[in-house]
């Protein structure tokens, strides 16, 4: 999550702030609390590049990212609000199975397996699905 998903979410927020809101990289860096070099890496897919397609694959996560970018652009969000939105985006990706898909892509021991090896009740808990 920390290595792939969070950088991809940050990359999408930076992209929206520059493309949709017309902010300069230095302004994006200040709003996101990162360096301008980090914003350049986000926009160039150096940071978060592996999981950007997965983040874009979740409509609910994309909506939370847009909501976060909008709030940051208008200076309406606290750091707690930003973190809450990022958590909701991650939950949306987890519940749709995108996190499991990413794990299968980056962890060679899971390639070709139908399940990751977690107990079914744990996967249900993480995905928010009821018991069968």
């Amino acid at each position: 999550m920390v290595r792939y998903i969070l950088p991809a979410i940050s990359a999408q927020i930076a992209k929206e702030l520059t493309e949709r809101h017309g902010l300069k990289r230095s302004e994006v860096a200040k709003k996101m609390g990162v360096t301008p070099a980090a914003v350049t890496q986000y926009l160039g897919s150096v940071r978060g590049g592996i999981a950007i397609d997965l983040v874009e694959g979740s409509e609910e996560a994309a909506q939370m990212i847009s909501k976060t970018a909008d709030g940051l652009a208008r200076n309406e969000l606290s750091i707690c609000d930003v973190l809450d939105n990022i958590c909701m985006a991650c939950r949306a990706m987890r519940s749709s199975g995108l996190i499991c898909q990413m794990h299968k892509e980056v962890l060679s021991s899971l390639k070709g397996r139908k399940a990751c090896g977690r107990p079914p009740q744990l996967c249900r808990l993480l995905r928010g699905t009821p018991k069968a």
Side-chain angles (χ1 to χ4, degrees), residues 1-2 26 30 33 45 49-50 59 63-64 68 71 77 82 92 106 110 113 115 119-120:
M1 185 76 78
V2 172
S26 59
K30 188 173 182 180
S45 298
I50 288 176
E59 188 175 322
Q63 288 173 353
M64 291 311 305
T68 303
L77 295 180
V82 171
V106 299
L110 298 178
R113 294 181 69 181

Side-chain angles (χ1 to χ4, degrees), residues 29-41:
K30 188 173 182 180
K31 288 183 181 293
M32 292 182 66
V34 298
T35 65
V39 172
T40 298
Q41 290 179 344

Side-chain angles (χ1 to χ4, degrees), residues 56-113:
E56 290 175 341
S58 169
E59 188 175 322
E60 191 177 345
Q63 288 173 353
M64 291 311 305
I65 289 166
S66 288
K67 180 180 175 181
T68 303
D70 293 345
L72 285 171
R74 293 189 302 259
N75 296 316
E76 295 175 348
L77 295 180
S78 70
I79 187 64
C80 291
D81 296 327
V82 171
L83 292 174
D84 284 345
N85 289 354
I86 290 171
C87 285
M88 285 189 267
C90 289
R91 268 191 233 110
M93 293 178 63
R94 189 181 315 128
S95 67
S96 67
L98 289 171
I99 301 289
C100 292
Q101 178 185 334
M102 185 217 45
H103 283 148
K104 288 178 185 179
E105 289 176 14
V106 299
L107 298 174
S108 60
S109 62
L110 298 178
K111 287 185 180 166
R113 294 181 69 181

